Amino acid sequence: MTRILITSAIPYINGVKHLGNLVGSQLPADLYARYARARGHEVLFLCATDEHGTPAEIAATKAGMPVEEYCHQMHRVQAKLAAGFRLSFDHFGRSSSMQNRRLTQHFAGALADNGLMEERSERQVFSIDDDRFLPDRYIEGTCPNCGYDKARGDQCENCTKQLEPTDLIEPRSSLSGSTRLEVRETKHLYLLQSKLKGDLAEWIDSKSDWPILTTSIARKWLNDGDGLQDRGITRDLHWGVPVARGGEPWPGMENKVFYVWFDAPIEYIACAAEWADAQGLDEEHWWRWWRTDEGADDVRYVQFMGKDNVPFHTLSFPATIMGSGEPWKVVDYIKSFNYLTYDGGQFSTSQGRGIFMDQALDLLPPDYWRWWLLSHAPETSDSEFTWDSFQAGVNKDLADVLGNFVSRVTKFCRSKFGEEVPEGGEEITERGRALVAELQERLETYCKHMDAIEVRRAAAELRAMWVAGNEFLQDAAPWSTFKEDPGRAAADIRFALNLIRVYAVISAPFIPDASAKLLEALRTEETKWPTDMEQALLRLPAGQGFVVPDTLFAKIDDDQREEWKVTFAGKRD
Ligand SMILES: [Zn+2]
């Protein structure tokens, strides 16, 4: 048994996430967490909402509520959707928690003590009417290059020229539209990441087992151009972790907060503290997951994220941890994903294009989405959601292969032998033995892929095991053998009912609801992960009662598919 700490990239608070976000971090993390638990490992699976920063403030203003209240409400919305997709977090925390505030201030203090913080003065645009400094992208004006009148202070999206806010002609605040802007001097803390470049490079080089997607992005940020840059980690905002040096005030940094990208990853640690606090456990209980001097040396720490988050997890967060000089756990394995595209384009919140988590659950049960998304996870390249592919995945894999097997076996048994596991014939027929051998091999391959977090390969192997059961049933044809050799038909059906139980157990990480439904129909609590297929296929004894489950998966018809295509196509510009 191993202890495995699993974190999913934490979703930003402003709004409901789309299916591409889901399959890029939370869902595969859940798959791995469920699998690891089923294999008997001790798992702590954490996620949270990322709540600080300007976008949250703006979303709250739009919603007409204080930012704290907005975040509280949106956290509940995201927690409910996570539960709807059966994401089995041990704790779903909040980066605005007191635990994270304390830890963020603690890390900043430790980094300063180690000479890794520097105060730097800079000139920034201040909006008098908004009473705040404006981040570059919240300043709008006319592009000096092409004349586009909605260019942003960081870039003109019309001609793509990189800009400074002071380059803009007739600049205005995009928050209020006010033109009463002035450049003021302000001081910020910089984390001297460049001093940690050698340590980080050595650490990345030691990770020969990481996906190339992960290490290539990390190396690019380490070495391209001038290499790893020092990073401003404070902002002149109201909403965030107030700047403090450990528990002490930080002179000159009054009314400033830490930049959201400094405190967000620290929430991975704080979330464990929240988890312990929520259960009234003292701090040793979460230290044993996070502090290598308190037992976390034995922990395997695995992170899941989309490729856009890789630099922060391979460089910035490790820089925070290493720079602290304290015995915190650093990540052992990073599983990163490419993007899921939607029907030939991108998902778009503003255009209502694509399917968002709430809409998905309104249409169909979570297993349908889980199966398609995981079996098409964008691992080695981007992958594309199309309704045709989704319909095919649900109808063929789930309904025709797994669902059909369950339905035929249980209904045939009920009509010929009654609703109990039939007795008679050999323990396992010859045909059954051939299948046991095939399944044993496939199970080992399946586990190998799951251990390596190769999601699509694991899904393909699982599907192959479902297909093998169907082929067995077709060959054994108990409906034909029943008349002249009822013992053999009984033995084959007993074997097939046992196979349903095995399917329920090994499919649970992908489709937990269907799995629970099958185990309930078989009236069994035997959910131990199989290692010896033959033993596993003898678990349900003759005479054990069962019920025929309701249709496991309903097919998606062509009319539904066409209707959904239109509904989710988004507004055309
Ligand atoms: Zn331009």
Side-chain angles (χ1 to χ4, degrees), residues 463-485:
R463 184 182 184 281
M465 284 194 271
W466 299 340
V467 169
N470 270 288
E471 286 169 359
F472 161 82
L473 192 64
Q474 206 55 37
D475 281 356
W479 44 87
S480 317
T481 59
F482 179 72
K483 274 185 193 146
E484 64 252 35
D485 193 352

Side-chain angles (χ1 to χ4, degrees), residues 217-506:
I217 295 171
R219 288 208 177 91
K220 185 169 154 31
W221 279 60
L222 262 179
N223 302 318
D224 273 17
D226 299 330
L228 188 64
Q229 299 296 301
D230 297 335
R231 214 161 53 102
I233 59 156
T234 55
R235 292 291 184 271
D236 291 292
L237 294 178
H238 306 293
W239 176 234
V241 174
V243 175
R245 188 168 178 158
E248 304 298 317
W250 205 312
M253 290 290 140
E254 295 80 9
N255 299 318
K256 293 178 196 288
V257 299
F258 287 108
Y259 179 39
V260 59
W261 261 112
F262 183 68
D263 81 70
I266 296 171
E267 169 62 15
Y268 291 139
I269 306 176
C271 191
E274 290 175 49
W275 162 79
D277 287 349
Q279 296 169 84
L281 299 171
D282 54 28
E283 52 195 6
E284 286 130 48
H285 286 88
W286 69 266
W287 282 352
R288 66 190 278 276
W289 290 98
W290 268 108
R291 291 199 58 120
T292 54
D293 58 341
E294 298 280 342
D297 252 344
D298 298 336
V299 170
R300 176 172 160 80
Y301 178 22
V302 182
Q303 294 176 340
F304 288 78
M305 69 200 65
K307 63 184 169 187
D308 50 329
N309 281 335
V310 168
F312 301 101
H313 290 78
T314 51
L315 303 172
S316 310
F317 185 41
T320 298
I321 289 182
M322 291 175 188
S324 75
E326 295 172 345
W328 299 99
K329 182 85 193 159
V330 286
V331 66
D332 293 302
Y333 190 79
I334 292 181
K335 175 71 182 183
S336 57
F337 290 86
N338 288 284
Y339 297 134
L340 181 73
T341 59
Y342 181 81
D343 208 6
Q346 300 300 322
F347 283 84
S348 164
T349 310
S350 60
Q351 291 176 44
R353 190 167 194 283
I355 315 147
F356 290 71
M357 286 171 73
D358 52 348
Q359 297 167 326
L361 291 176
D362 285 344
L363 293 188
L364 291 168
D367 281 356
Y368 292 52
W369 300 107
R370 288 178 65 106
W371 173 253
W372 188 90
L373 289 167
L374 290 168
S375 59
H376 294 77
E379 288 178 297
T380 49
S381 60
D382 289 353
S383 59
E384 183 184 23
F385 180 95
T386 66
W387 286 101
D388 293 347
S389 169
F390 179 66
Q391 180 192 32
V394 168
N395 291 3
K396 288 185 184 150
D397 298 351
L398 296 180
D400 286 345
V401 181
L402 179 59
N404 190 43
F405 179 78
V406 170
S407 167
R408 286 170 87 189
V409 169
T410 54
K411 284 180 180 161
F412 176 75
C413 186
R414 180 173 63 186
S415 74
K416 300 298 186 221
F417 302 104
E419 280 184 301
E420 60 180 47
V421 178
E423 60 182 338
E426 300 167 75
E427 196 175 52
I428 298 179
T429 61
E430 201 184 316
R431 197 169 264 115
R433 293 212 173 275
L435 178 58
V436 167
E438 182 188 344
L439 291 177
Q440 182 68 41
E441 208 179 307
R442 289 199 179 279
L443 175 70
E444 284 161 21
T445 308
Y446 175 56
C447 292
K448 197 183 77 189
H449 292 322
M450 289 291 260
D451 287 329
I453 324 180
E454 290 180 332
V455 178
R456 288 174 85 136
R457 285 182 169 175
E461 202 59 38
L462 180 61
R463 184 182 184 281
M465 284 194 271
W466 299 340
V467 169
N470 270 288
E471 286 169 359
F472 161 82
L473 192 64
Q474 206 55 37
D475 281 356
W479 44 87
S480 317
T481 59
F482 179 72
K483 274 185 193 146
E484 64 252 35
D485 193 352
R488 197 174 104 189
D492 282 330
I493 284 296
R494 186 169 63 242
F495 181 77
L497 284 166
N498 268 283
L499 188 49
I500 294 175
R501 187 195 72 83
V502 169
Y503 284 159
V505 173
I506 62 177

Side-chain angles (χ1 to χ4, degrees), residues 143-148 151 156-161 163:
C143 174
N145 188 44
C146 73
Y148 179 61
C156 171
E157 67 171 17
N158 189 48
C159 69
T160 74
K161 191 177 164 61
L163 299 170

